[in-house]
Amino acid sequence: MNHRPSRTALPRLYIRSHALPLTIATLTCIALVAAWAAHWLQDQPYFDHTARVPVIVLAPLLASAAIGTGVHAHSDELDRTAVRRWWPRRLLHLLVLTVLATGALALAVPGHPEEFGAPGMVRNVLGATGVAAASAALIGARLSWLPMTVYGGAVYLAAPHAPGGAAAVWAWPMQPGPQGAAWAVALTAYVIGTALLAVRGARPESA
């Protein structure tokens, strides 16, 4: 006799195999630390808006790393052998975590949205998460944090101080909130990464 999982059992199996509660707890901790760092920087006597750049660059890197590694399936044979398609669950998984991360981290950066505030944080979370999602689909979830971390670190060191121009494209994580070109790159990365991960899933990895 064949015993197929019930409709309610399938989501529970997916959540358990991907350790979703642990990822949510990690994102909560990242948001709390980012909020503390942003408020601390804002209270400093030498504060100006650019002082929050480390927060809007590093916090999305950490959040995308948590999301990317969180799509690792501890029993990936579940995805390969399931009768039902898993891509809608993978898509919902990524969207829910993205909403949680962008909402929490946007609230962590108060004031002056036209500079390095909530819009810049949201853009960076979307772009970094897209890169991490694509990396999970192409090289595996366990290393999905690496490409965006290397790129983000290089951009942080090499980006010019003046915003706009060509830097708005290649150094989008370092741009103020209103830069349209930076938003275009980040949104493109998120759409492509989300589509890759939803369709292909994380690349299977040896234990």
Side-chain angles (χ1 to χ4, degrees), residues 120-147:
M121 181 69 86
V122 170
R123 179 201 62 216
N124 285 0
V125 172
L126 291 174
T129 300
V131 174
S135 301
L138 296 176
I139 65 175
R142 289 174 176 169
L143 289 177
S144 61
W145 57 272
L146 186 58

Side-chain angles (χ1 to χ4, degrees), residues 8-30:
T8 57
L10 283 170
R12 289 200 300 269
L13 286 171
Y14 184 89
I15 290 171
R16 189 184 310 154
S17 69
H18 291 78
L20 191 56
L22 178 60
T23 305
I24 293 174
T26 303
L27 291 175
T28 302
C29 292
I30 292 170

Side-chain angles (χ1 to χ4, degrees), residues 66-167:
I67 294 172
T69 55
V71 301
H72 170 71
H74 296 280
S75 54
D76 57 9
E77 67 274 6
L78 181 67
D79 286 23
R80 295 196 301 268
T81 60
V83 176
R84 298 175 184 273
R85 294 182 177 181
W86 283 96
W87 74 261
R89 293 175 177 83
R90 291 194 291 263
L91 178 60
L92 180 62
H93 178 174
L94 188 59
L95 291 178
V96 167
L97 292 180
T98 302
V99 170
L100 289 174
T102 54
L105 287 174
L107 292 174
V109 189
H112 297 285
E114 72 281 1
E115 295 293 341
F116 294 97
M121 181 69 86
V122 170
R123 179 201 62 216
N124 285 0
V125 172
L126 291 174
T129 300
V131 174
S135 301
L138 296 176
I139 65 175
R142 289 174 176 169
L143 289 177
S144 61
W145 57 272
L146 186 58
M148 189 62 209
T149 300
V150 172
Y151 175 72
V155 165
Y156 185 81
L157 295 175
H161 294 292

